[in-house]
């Protein structure tokens, strides 16, 4: 809501930084993440559930984790689920109505065919594509993959935690990020931590400086933790509160049984007199 009001007003002075991928904390550690992220300047964070469909898809039923966390003042906490799909049968889960419990739905795969099928057939069911950039991708990202995502407001994700942990995975993150930046023309991706421990979370401007090592310019890196996160958030609202992003259910006004829907003649006369009085006042002024 703050993002939407800020865009309508055109006020871009207040920067709302977001980290949309933090692993689910253990019991009692949520307050540690809240205090750390507020001190660093974040206004929105998302706790992520990573679900492997090979284990969660049992007897044509999906076992989803519970999404209940503590609330925090001055910090928006979102609930995210990432579905790791390895078979075309798993794509049907994206239309499961139980996914509306989560604010963000991300899709992950290692197959190029599944990626193209999900974008072409299930574009309204998820908001993010999260690929494992710490390893060499089995396919190369092309403009044909990213152009349909831009049309459907789907963003790709870069997690920088692998670049901090290991030098070998850092090379893969840098090379894959450069390919993504080149094929997307510097648009349509977000940068998040993917941290499993609070020690690996970095501040917003540290993330922007780290993104320059990935071949991303300052403007695109700043948009990756502010404006592009706004796109994810707003599409999540349309996914959970509308039907196919077009129709929205609204409550109709309730009337008394004794109240007449058609105005009575006395009510019409009163309205006419009020209009005449207002008109005469304006004429005197």
């Amino acid at each position: 809501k703050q993002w939407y009001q800020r865009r309508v007003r055109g006020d871009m002075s207040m920067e709302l930084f977001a980290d949309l991928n933090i692993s689910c904390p253990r019991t009692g550690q949520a307050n540690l993440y809240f205090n750390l992220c507020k001190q660093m300047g974040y206004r929105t964070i998302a706790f992520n559930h990573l679900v492997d469909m090979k284990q969660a898809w049992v007897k044509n039923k999906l076992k989803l984790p519970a999404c209940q966390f503590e609330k925090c003042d001055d910090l928006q906490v979102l609930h995210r689920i990432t579905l790791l799909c390895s078979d075309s049968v798993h794509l049907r889960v994206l239309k499961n109505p139980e996914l509306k419990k989560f604010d963000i739905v991300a899709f992950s795969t290692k197959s190029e065919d599944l990626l193209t099928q999900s974008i072409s057939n299930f574009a309204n069911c998820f908001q993010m594509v999260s690929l494992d950039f710490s390893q060499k991708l089995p396919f190369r990202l092309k403009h044909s993959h990213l152009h349909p995502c831009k049309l459907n407001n789907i963003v790709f994700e870069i997690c920088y935690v692998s670049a901090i942990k290991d030098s070998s995975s850092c090379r893969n993150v840098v090379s894959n990020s450069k390919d993504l930046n080149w094929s997307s023309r510097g648009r349509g991706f977000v940068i998040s931590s993917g941290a499993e421990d609070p020690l690996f979370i970095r501040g917003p401007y540290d993330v922007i400086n780290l993104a320059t090592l990935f071949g991303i310019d300052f403007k695109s890196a700043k948009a990756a933790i502010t404006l592009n996160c706004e796109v994810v958030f707003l599409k999540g609202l349309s996914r959970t509160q509308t039907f196919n992003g077009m129709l929205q259910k609204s409550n109709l006004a309730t009337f008394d049984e004794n109240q007449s829907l058609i105005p009575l003649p006395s009510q019409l006369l009163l309205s006419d007199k009020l209009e005449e009085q207002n008109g005469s006042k304006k004429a005197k002024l």
Side-chain angles (χ1 to χ4, degrees):
K1 186 177 179 181
Q2 293 177 356
W3 271 330
Y4 181 73
Q5 292 176 352
R6 184 169 56 92
R7 287 296 295 273
V8 171
R9 294 195 309 265
D11 182 15
M12 304 301 292
S13 59
M14 183 180 178
E15 297 166 346
L16 301 178
F17 297 109
D19 188 352
L20 300 183
N21 189 356
I22 297 177
S23 297
C24 291
R26 299 176 183 175
T27 55
Q29 286 189 347
N31 291 327
L32 180 61
Y33 283 95
F34 295 156
N35 296 329
L36 180 63
C37 292
K38 283 195 293 185
Q39 290 176 3
M40 289 184 174
Y42 288 104
R43 292 294 176 265
T44 302
I45 61 173
F47 288 125
N48 181 30
H49 294 275
L50 180 61
V51 178
D52 191 354
M53 294 306 300
K54 287 183 179 180
Q55 301 175 359
W57 185 257
V58 180
K59 295 181 180 180
N60 295 330
K61 291 183 179 180
L62 179 64
K63 294 182 180 181
L64 291 178
C67 55
Q68 294 180 356
F69 296 106
E70 300 177 4
K71 294 183 179 179
C72 179
D73 297 334
D74 300 329
L75 190 65
Q76 187 178 15
V77 182
L78 304 178
H79 309 297
R80 167 182 165 174
I81 185 171
T82 302
L83 301 175
L84 179 58
C85 300
S86 57
D87 194 358
S88 59
V89 181
H90 299 158
L91 296 178
R92 292 182 295 176
V93 181
L94 293 171
K95 290 190 175 181
N96 195 328
E98 293 184 2
L99 294 179
K100 290 187 177 182
K101 298 177 182 178
F102 297 90
D103 300 313
I104 301 174
V105 177
F107 175 78
S108 180
T109 186
K110 296 181 180 179
S111 173
E112 184 179 4
D113 296 333
L114 291 180
L115 180 61
T116 54
Q117 288 179 22
S118 63
I119 294 171
S120 58
N121 300 327
F122 303 94
N124 294 327
C125 302
F126 63 98
Q127 300 123 277
M128 299 176 65
V129 176
S130 180
L131 302 178
D132 189 6
F133 279 6
S134 63
Q135 299 178 2
K136 188 176 181 180
L137 295 178
F139 57 92
R140 187 172 182 179
L141 293 173
K142 304 175 184 177
H143 185 67
S144 59
H145 295 142
L146 300 172
H147 183 66
C149 292
K150 292 179 183 178
L151 298 178
N152 294 294
N153 292 328
I154 299 174
V155 300
F156 280 72
E157 182 185 32
I158 300 173
C159 293
Y160 60 82
V161 67
S162 301
I164 300 173
K165 286 183 176 181
D166 190 10
S167 60
S168 61
S169 59
C170 180
R171 296 191 193 97
N172 294 326
V173 172
V174 171
S175 61
N176 292 326
S177 301
K178 286 183 177 180
D179 291 339
L180 176 63
N181 185 36
W182 179 82
S183 56
S184 65
R185 277 62 168 174
R187 302 174 183 174
F189 58 86
V190 298
I191 302 175
S192 54
S193 63
E196 300 176 356
D197 192 273
L199 295 175
F200 296 108
I201 299 177
R202 297 293 182 266
Y205 289 100
D206 291 335
V207 175
I208 294 173
N209 292 331
L210 186 63
T212 56
L213 300 177
F214 300 163
I216 303 171
D217 60 341
F218 180 84
K219 185 178 180 180
S220 300
K222 191 174 182 180
I225 56 176
T226 53
L227 296 178
N228 296 343
C229 298
E230 176 185 354
V231 174
V232 176
F233 178 73
L234 293 178
K235 187 178 180 181
L237 293 179
S238 66
R239 182 182 59 83
T240 55
Q241 300 179 7
T242 63
F243 177 74
N244 288 337
M246 295 182 292
L247 300 177
Q248 184 177 7
K249 180 181 177 182
S250 59
N251 296 325
L252 297 176
T254 57
F255 296 95
D256 255 347
E257 294 181 357
N258 300 326
Q259 185 179 1
S260 176
L261 297 178
I262 302 174
L264 299 175
S266 59
Q267 295 176 353
L268 293 175
L269 291 173
L270 284 173
S271 63
D272 292 338
K273 289 181 180 179
L274 290 174
E275 288 180 0
E276 290 177 0
Q277 291 177 2
N278 294 330
S280 62
K281 288 180 179 179
K282 290 180 180 178
K284 290 179 181 179
L285 293 173

